[in-house]
Amino acid sequence: MIFDTHMHCQRSCDSKMTLTQAVARAKDLGIGMCVTEHWDYDYPTYPQAFHFDIKEYVKDAEKVRSDKVLLGIEIGMMPHLVEKNTKLAKSANFDYVLCSIHCVNRKDIYDKKFYTGMTKQQATEAYLKDMLTCLKSHTEIDALAHLDYIARYWVYGTGLDWYDAPDLWDEVFKVLAEREIPLELNTRRLPQKGVAEELKKIYRRYKELGGKYMTTGSDAHNTDAVGLKIKEATELIRDWDMVPVYFKRRQMQLLS
C-alpha cells in the first residue's frame, strides 16, 4: 500500500475538509494516509492562525486511527523555535513529525513582499541558510517537507535550480543524509509541466551525497487533492533509485 503522508483537515485554518472526509477519500482511493495539521509558532503574518488544541486533535484522530490512518503533525521550523518545537513534537503519541520551512528571517515566504529587491539566487540562499540552521539544531524531525515550497510562491517564473546555491544545497543534503532524514516528494506542483524534471535534478544531488529515503505527500487541503499523484510520485522515487518510506509510531517503514 502507498501512503499520502501530508494533508490538512479542520484544525488547519486554511483547509476545506474534515478528518472524516479525508479518511473516506483515502479509503476510496485504496491508499494509506497520515493527517499532518499545521503548527507554526510565531507565524509573522497571522501569529495565532496555526495553533490548535493538541489534546482534542489527538482525541479525534484516535477514533479513526489504524495501520492505514496515521496521526502526524507538520511543524514550521525557525531557528529560534528549537526548544518549543522539540517540546511540541514530544507532546503527543504522533506517528509522524513532518518539519517545514514556511518562513525565512522570520518573514512569511508565501507573501510576495518577501521577494522585493531580491534576486532568485538571493532568495534561494536565504531559504537554504535558514533551512540548514534549523536542520542542524532541531532534533525531532522525521522528514523534511516540500523542499520546493518557496518555488510555489516566489516571483521569478522558474523553479528550483541547484546552480543558484550549490554549496548550500550540498550542505543541506549532507546533513539530511548523515541523519537519514527523508525528503518529501510533495506532489502539489507535479501536475505542472517540467516540474518532475526540475525536482529530479535536485533530488539526484541529494542521492549523490548519500540521501536514500523519501516520503510522498499531497499537502491536500481539500478532498480532491487527497492522494494527488501519489502513485506517480512513488514510482518516480523508485525510478530515481531511492527508497519510498512512511512513518508509524515515529519509526520509518519501508513501502512494500
Side-chain angles (χ1 to χ4, degrees):
M1 173 176 284
I2 60 176
F3 270 79
D4 183 344
T5 65
H6 186 169
M7 62 182 69
H8 302 281
C9 299
Q10 67 263 27
R11 285 187 169 78
S12 293
C13 65
D14 52 353
S15 176
K16 295 178 175 63
M17 69 176 168
T18 66
L19 178 58
T20 301
Q21 290 170 329
V23 171
R25 179 60 175 161
K27 183 178 180 180
D28 287 345
L29 294 171
I31 63 173
M33 60 161 279
C34 184
V35 58
T36 52
E37 299 286 33
H38 282 298
W39 190 290
D40 281 76
Y41 283 114
D42 296 350
Y43 198 78
T45 317
Y46 306 103
Q48 300 302 318
F50 297 107
H51 296 176
F52 50 87
D53 188 316
I54 291 287
K55 290 183 179 179
E56 288 298 316
Y57 173 42
V58 173
K59 181 180 177 181
D60 285 350
E62 288 293 351
K63 298 173 185 176
V64 295
R65 198 172 185 178
S66 69
D67 288 343
K68 299 177 182 178
V69 179
L70 304 175
L71 171 63
I73 190 167
E74 181 185 5
I75 298 177
M77 296 187 293
M78 286 191 273
H80 70 291
L81 294 176
V82 176
E83 185 175 346
K84 282 186 173 182
N85 284 345
T86 299
K87 184 177 180 180
L88 174 63
K90 294 180 177 181
S91 67
N93 187 23
F94 295 119
D95 287 298
Y96 185 41
V97 174
L98 179 65
C99 289
S100 307
I101 299 292
H102 296 133
C103 301
V104 172
N105 297 327
R106 300 201 189 192
K107 296 179 180 178
D108 184 358
I109 59 178
Y110 174 87
D111 188 345
K112 301 297 184 188
K113 291 184 290 186
F114 173 79
Y115 306 98
T116 301
M118 298 179 72
T119 65
K120 179 170 174 268
Q121 180 178 348
Q122 289 170 333
T124 302
E125 289 175 347
Y127 180 56
L128 293 176
K129 284 178 181 177
D130 260 25
M131 184 181 293
L132 183 60
T133 298
C134 289
L135 288 173
K136 287 181 175 180
S137 58
H138 283 68
T139 57
E140 296 296 319
I141 305 175
D142 292 334
L144 179 65
H146 45 47
L147 195 67
D148 59 334
Y149 178 82
I150 195 169
R152 296 181 191 173
Y153 306 115
W154 64 16
V155 295
Y156 309 110
T158 55
L160 297 178
D161 192 330
W162 178 81
Y163 291 100
D164 281 329
D167 292 341
L168 285 168
W169 277 119
D170 282 3
E171 285 190 69
V172 165
F173 291 153
K174 286 175 183 177
V175 171
L176 290 167
E178 287 169 4
R179 293 179 55 189
E180 294 193 335
I181 297 173
L183 275 175
E184 178 187 80
L185 178 51
N186 190 284
T187 63
R188 173 78 73 87
R189 295 175 62 238
L190 275 186
Q192 299 174 27
K193 184 178 179 180
V195 168
E197 189 62 29
E198 167 202 327
L199 295 178
K200 176 183 177 180
K201 293 175 182 177
I202 295 289
Y203 288 118
R204 181 172 59 196
R205 185 59 177 162
Y206 167 61
K207 184 180 187 307
E208 289 172 352
L209 292 172
K212 185 177 180 180
Y213 302 107
M214 294 184 66
T215 64
T216 53
S218 65
D219 206 352
H221 289 66
N222 59 70
T223 53
D224 288 343
V226 172
L228 175 70
K229 297 286 185 181
I230 290 297
K231 181 179 179 180
E232 293 88 341
T234 304
E235 291 171 351
L236 281 175
I237 291 169
R238 291 187 169 124
D239 287 345
W240 298 343
D241 197 26
M242 288 189 274
V243 181
V245 300
Y246 67 100
F247 282 78
K248 182 180 178 182
R249 306 297 183 188
R250 303 291 308 277
Q251 298 297 311
M252 188 188 297
Q253 311 291 316
L254 304 183
L255 285 185
S256 57

